[in-house]
Amino acid sequence: MSDTTSAQHAARPPEGVQAPGGGRYAIGIDLGTTHCALAWVDLAASEGESTVHGVLDIPQLSAPGSVTAAPLLPSFLYLPHADELAPGELELPWQPTPDYAVGEMARTRGAQTPIRLVSSAKSWLCHAGVNRRAALLPADAPPEVERVSPLEASTRYLAHLRQAWEHAHPQAPFADQDVTITIPASFDPAARELTVEAARAAGYGALTLLEEPQAALYSWIQRSAGHWRKQVQTGDIILVVDVGGGTSDFSLMAVLEREGNLELHRVAVGEHILLGGDNMDLALAHGLARKLAESGKTLEPWQLRALAHGCRNAKEALLGDNTTGLVPESVPIVVPSRGAKLIGGALRTELTKAEVTSTLVEGFFPQVESCARPVTRTRSGLTQLGLPYAQDAGVTRHLAALLGRQTSATTELEGFSGHGAKETADTAAESTTAPATFLHPTAVLFNGGVFKSPLLTERTLSTLNAWLAADGAPAARMLSGADMDLAVARGAAYYGYVRHGNGVRIRGGTAQAYYVAIESSMPAIPGAEPPIQALCVAPFGMEEGSSVDLSLLQLGLVVGEPVQFRFFGSSVRRQDAAGALLDFWQPDELQELGEIRATLPAEGRPAGEVVQVTLRATATETGTLELTAVSASTTGADHQAEYWKVELDVRDKG
């Protein structure tokens, strides 16, 4: 199943990204797997690194007919039966007759009736193996239950946040504000475009996308009120470890000095890893299911899902900060049953602190060596249609793989003088230190609900420092002052403030170099496909909002008939300039991003005609890559340029 593209043809250049709105606020939205949040910065009242900012308390249903406000909106959508609730019990201040609920009530009621609960919509939104516009969720609901698409579920969360803002700030229309929505650093172009589409459908105007690890670091900078420079120094490499409800995201930022000022540059991001709190809840649920089975009690599949929801709350209680001595040794869990005797037929069990520790700490954060890599297994030929979770649950193994791939990430970074920086021939000859086997972080910023547990934070840091000690490097220090629940939303709002020319901006541009496949022209050979070359259209670190013209390379563009575009990305080929044409590459250097299919308008030409074009690539403010083919007609007096824009709008075909 592949994503497709829309194509535009025009006799003038396509319009650029809209400028930020002229409103008073920069709004940051964390569209999370398990929670959403909205933060703001008052642009008029803020100056320099001193900001006036806050978090919106979001009105939501906490129970039928009961609306309360909280800073977090759980990312759950409940689709009740038509006769399940009395009239008015789903009413919101801005929506008198909704037929669904999002937020706290959706989560709690869905734990009792999981076949009507939509969860992990964000993870489904980036699942390239399904039609993300199709009504898929809840994934295993019976036929009588209404289903919605991952795109629609995301749209409803975003619409709720917009309506909550307008209810609280009628004098500051949402559409007039500068809005930034966060996404995982590893989101591919398709998932980025779908996020933008969901926002448009929810009534958003101009917006920007920001990677979540960067948002977490922006929040840390904002909270320091200018004192961040005392916690980091030139040569530092900051590792951002973000493990949330659905994904694990890793990013690396280098601290360097230019013109006497400290600057932050992103140098690498990890792969997209569907591994987070959801996996941990399922692991705990399976453990309790085995315990129940030993006592002769077998769970149905829907009860196992309900058990996982119960484990989520129990896990948070058992992994809390025990400095107050209030963390319990166990938490009771009730598994609902069907039928009239719901209470009497319910199954009861408990989750203990020891079970959580052994399952999560050892299972998800094992103490491995720096050379460890994620384990893959032989998969069954047939599988259920579900989320493409990571095969290896070891977060530390995924982290080791990233650091091992990025050993030379800072060697070409101008102004960087830390470990791994480019050495001169003389210093290299004099050095007696063994070369690093992985990129050495010097500071770590933790983010995500999983790291609200000091136990998991300490395990991750101690494992990393064991790697550093074995490589003869100093221990990494943990950056203080992180806000695990609200950092991403706060950082997104601060980024909107930075885009207005204030505060501190993290540099780095695109997290990968991007390439498009160019098919070679050759005679037909039985059994052989034409070889391809990879053309670099966007070098690593290309800044958002900038374009590159590849006018020196003339190519042929096929119009009027179905064609495919193959795109590749690389996080390790940092020296390739725009226009570099690769004839050969190692298997681990380029990763294919998916097949993009299109029929480009022929505009009066015969179908299949090959038009001579040059290319222009633009890294948009929303974090996507636009590729424009330009043809200049030189016949007659009406000399006019034509443009075909290959735009990733990911219209899935089921």
Side-chain angles (χ1 to χ4, degrees):
M1 195 166 300
S2 60
D3 296 325
T4 62
T5 180
S6 68
Q8 297 178 358
H9 174 275
R12 58 182 178 81
E15 296 180 0
V17 177
Q18 299 180 46
R24 173 167 180 162
Y25 298 96
I27 293 175
I29 289 178
D30 176 9
L31 181 63
T33 307
T34 54
H35 289 95
C36 298
L38 186 155
W40 52 268
V41 170
D42 189 331
L43 298 173
S46 302
E47 183 177 357
E49 292 190 43
S50 177
T51 59
V52 177
H53 58 274
V55 173
L56 178 69
D57 282 334
I58 305 165
Q60 58 195 283
L61 288 164
S62 56
S66 177
V67 175
T68 58
L72 294 175
L73 176 74
S75 303
F76 295 87
L77 168 65
Y78 187 71
L79 307 169
H81 186 275
D83 300 324
E84 182 176 341
L85 298 167
E89 288 190 328
L90 291 175
E91 182 177 338
L92 290 167
W94 54 82
Q95 195 173 9
T97 58
D99 58 358
Y100 62 88
V102 301
E104 184 58 37
M105 174 184 156
R107 177 170 64 175
T108 55
R109 200 169 186 91
Q112 302 169 3
T113 314
I115 60 172
R116 294 187 172 275
L117 179 67
V118 175
S119 60
S120 301
K122 178 179 175 181
S123 298
W124 284 96
L125 196 68
C126 65
H127 187 353
V130 300
N131 182 348
R132 289 159 281 186
R133 288 182 174 79
L136 303 173
L137 307 176
D140 48 3
E144 66 270 15
V145 174
E146 174 198 1
R147 296 194 186 202
V148 298
S149 68
L151 182 65
E152 174 61 23
S154 301
T155 298
R156 293 186 185 186
Y157 302 148
L158 290 168
H160 189 104
L161 293 171
R162 175 184 62 80
Q163 293 159 337
W165 170 270
E166 292 180 337
H167 177 70
H169 300 274
Q171 79 290 353
F174 189 88
D176 293 344
Q177 313 313 311
D178 188 321
V179 178
T180 299
I181 300 175
T182 62
I183 55 173
S186 48
F187 253 23
D188 64 15
R192 291 170 184 260
E193 285 289 342
L194 283 165
T195 304
V196 173
E197 183 176 339
R200 299 279 190 245
Y204 289 43
L207 61 97
T208 301
L209 300 183
L210 177 67
E211 296 165 4
E212 290 163 2
Q214 283 199 62
L217 191 56
Y218 273 123
S219 175
W220 175 75
I221 292 170
Q222 180 190 44
R223 286 168 66 89
S224 75
H227 297 295
W228 66 274
R229 296 176 181 83
K230 296 180 180 178
Q231 291 198 52
V232 297
Q233 58 189 353
T234 302
D236 271 335
I237 298 175
I238 303 173
L239 168 65
V240 182
V241 183
D242 184 354
V243 182
T247 59
S248 292
D249 248 347
F250 311 124
S251 286
L252 291 156
M253 318 281 180
V255 183
L256 52 86
E257 184 176 355
R258 287 187 181 172
E259 300 178 356
N261 297 316
L262 286 182
E263 288 189 0
L264 295 166
H265 278 245
R266 184 195 57 197
V267 295
V269 299
E271 297 177 348
H272 187 69
I273 308 170
L274 278 185
L275 175 62
D278 289 350
N279 305 69
M280 299 176 189
D281 300 335
L282 284 171
L284 294 171
H286 279 280
L288 290 182
R290 287 192 296 269
K291 189 163 64 172
L292 286 168
E294 292 172 358
S295 62
K297 300 171 183 176
T298 303
L299 298 182
E300 297 181 38
W302 73 272
Q303 288 178 304
L304 184 63
R305 295 194 299 276
L307 183 58
H309 288 295
C311 286
R312 175 182 294 116
N313 296 329
K315 173 195 67 180
E316 294 171 358
L318 293 168
L319 286 179
D321 187 349
N322 201 29
T323 56
T324 60
L326 298 178
V327 175
E329 291 298 319
S330 65
V331 173
I333 296 178
V334 178
V335 184
S337 65
R338 287 195 176 99
K341 298 181 179 179
L342 291 178
I343 302 301
L347 301 178
R348 289 171 171 78
T349 183
E350 67 175 11
L351 184 66
T352 68
K353 185 187 297 184
E355 289 169 333
V356 171
T357 301
S358 62
T359 301
L360 302 191
V361 178
E362 301 302 331
F364 289 86
F365 296 88
Q367 288 182 313
V368 298
E369 296 182 351
S370 62
C371 61
R373 295 295 182 265
V375 178
T376 57
R377 58 177 174 80
T378 302
R379 303 182 65 186
S380 173
L382 294 175
T383 181
Q384 287 185 332
L385 187 62
L387 290 172
Y389 290 114
Q391 291 189 41
D392 192 326
V395 174
T396 44
R397 281 189 286 269
H398 290 283
L399 178 57
L402 169 67
L403 296 177
R405 284 195 306 270
Q406 302 297 338
T407 306
S408 58
T410 60
T411 54
E412 302 295 330
L413 188 57
E414 181 183 354
F416 184 74
S417 59
H419 182 83
K422 189 175 182 180
E423 296 178 315
T424 65
D426 291 338
T427 57
E430 294 172 0
S431 175
T432 59
T433 304
T437 61
F438 63 94
L439 187 64
H440 294 169
T442 58
V444 183
L445 180 67
F446 290 101
N447 187 61
V450 167
F451 290 121
K452 291 167 70 174
S453 165
L455 189 64
L456 300 183
T457 301
E458 292 163 5
R459 167 55 73 92
T460 307
L461 187 61
S462 65
T463 302
L464 173 62
N465 282 334
W467 300 343
L468 292 167
D471 235 25
R477 62 194 184 278
M478 186 172 76
L479 298 180
S480 60
D483 182 345
M484 304 301 178
D485 282 330
L486 298 170
V488 169
R490 290 183 185 275
Y494 181 75
Y495 175 69
Y497 173 67
V498 168
R499 291 178 64 242
H500 285 263
N502 306 292
V504 180
R505 183 160 191 171
I506 300 170
R507 303 291 177 180
T510 56
Q512 299 187 77
Y514 291 98
Y515 306 78
V516 65
I518 307 297
E519 183 177 297
S520 299
S521 177
M522 60 174 286
I525 299 176
E529 294 289 333
I532 65 167
Q533 297 172 300
L535 173 65
C536 181
V537 293
F540 184 93
M542 182 175 173
E543 292 288 344
E544 290 87 353
S546 63
S547 299
V548 292
D549 285 305
L550 308 175
S551 55
L552 297 180
L553 184 64
Q554 299 287 326
L555 297 169
L557 181 72
V558 180
V559 299
E561 67 179 30
V563 295
Q564 67 176 10
F565 292 88
R566 294 175 64 188
F567 286 90
F568 303 86
S570 176
S571 62
V572 295
R573 294 189 64 100
R574 299 165 183 271
Q575 290 75 40
D576 290 342
L581 200 58
L582 309 183
D583 294 305
F584 176 79
W585 54 89
Q586 296 295 333
D588 59 347
E589 286 187 306
L590 300 188
Q591 288 77 46
E592 189 155 5
L593 301 178
E595 181 186 83
I596 309 301
R597 296 178 180 176
T599 299
L600 300 175
E603 295 297 322
R605 296 178 174 84
E609 180 174 334
V610 179
V611 181
Q612 185 174 327
V613 298
T614 60
L615 298 180
R616 179 173 66 241
T618 302
T620 71
E621 291 285 353
T622 57
T624 61
L625 184 69
E626 290 181 353
L627 196 62
T628 305
V630 184
S631 171
S633 173
T634 57
T635 59
D638 297 330
H639 174 71
Q640 193 175 42
E642 292 179 296
Y643 297 83
W644 288 266
K645 185 167 68 172
V646 179
E647 185 177 21
L648 304 178
D649 71 356
V650 294
R651 288 188 175 88
D652 302 284
K653 302 297 181 186

